[in-house]
Amino acid sequence: MSASLIFDIAPLGSIVAWSDGSPRPPERHSKKLSAWKTRNSQGRLVRKQNERTRGTYVAQPDFTIHEGDFGSSGTIVLRVFRRFGLDSDLTFKVLQRPPIASVRIFDGPGENGSLVHLAETREAAEAWLRTHGYPHAVLEDVTADEVAAAVVEGRAAA
């Protein structure tokens, strides 16, 4: 599916894969493989931003995917995010939607908030917040009604 469909129908917290359709190069071609991995990967959808205007500049709508964390001994040193515009030439696929009864944790209120964690239950979300300390965090439940509405309205991603 296209980037605009991901923006329109994929719920935050979904695992999304992207690809340029090219075959994976052999391991021995490290530079080609590295370039291929940039255009063929997956991650969790953490943010959607509508068109924004700053003075005379108009930023087009886009979405952000958290690709992964790097570190050691439980300390995250680097977080990798990818931002895609709706005009991206890549092909996207929703691999997994957030499960019913899970809880999305956003770093702040409103449309400027980003998903920072997807917890299995509300209790797990509150425990995660106690250890990670987001003072303006917002919790949002994934409900059966949300999933059912997506199916009824034809927004269920394949």
Side-chain angles (χ1 to χ4, degrees):
M1 70 179 54
S2 67
S4 62
L5 275 175
I6 292 294
F7 186 84
D8 290 340
I9 67 173
L12 291 175
S14 296
I15 302 295
V16 177
W18 63 92
S19 174
D20 63 3
S22 64
R24 180 185 173 102
E27 294 291 327
R28 67 181 182 274
H29 298 287
S30 59
K31 288 183 183 179
K32 288 181 181 179
L33 182 60
S34 177
W36 181 87
K37 286 180 179 178
T38 300
R39 295 185 50 84
N40 299 273
S41 191
Q42 68 182 29
R44 188 171 301 278
L45 182 62
V46 296
R47 189 173 194 182
K48 295 180 186 180
Q49 289 186 297
N50 291 314
E51 184 175 274
R52 303 157 317 274
T53 304
R54 304 276 194 265
T56 59
Y57 175 72
V58 178
Q60 297 302 313
D62 60 34
F63 57 91
T64 304
I65 295 178
H66 175 226
E67 190 173 6
D69 295 330
F70 296 95
S72 64
S73 302
T75 303
I76 297 172
V77 177
L78 178 68
R79 303 192 87 189
V80 178
F81 294 92
R82 304 268 182 179
R83 181 179 279 171
F84 299 96
L86 301 189
D87 60 349
S88 175
D89 62 342
L90 300 173
T91 302
F92 295 86
K93 182 177 181 179
V94 175
L95 301 177
Q96 178 185 355
R97 295 165 130 330
I100 295 171
S102 60
V103 178
R104 296 180 186 106
I105 303 173
F106 294 94
D107 61 0
E111 70 177 42
N112 288 330
S114 292
L115 181 73
V116 292
H117 186 68
L118 184 66
E120 293 180 10
T121 63
R122 182 158 286 271
E123 294 78 25
E126 290 168 354
W128 187 89
L129 274 176
R130 282 192 295 275
T131 60
H132 290 81
Y134 282 87
H136 304 292
V138 175
L139 302 180
E140 179 183 284
D141 294 317
V142 177
T143 63
D145 292 339
E146 173 186 337
V147 174
V151 171
V152 169
E153 294 173 8
R155 294 184 292 124

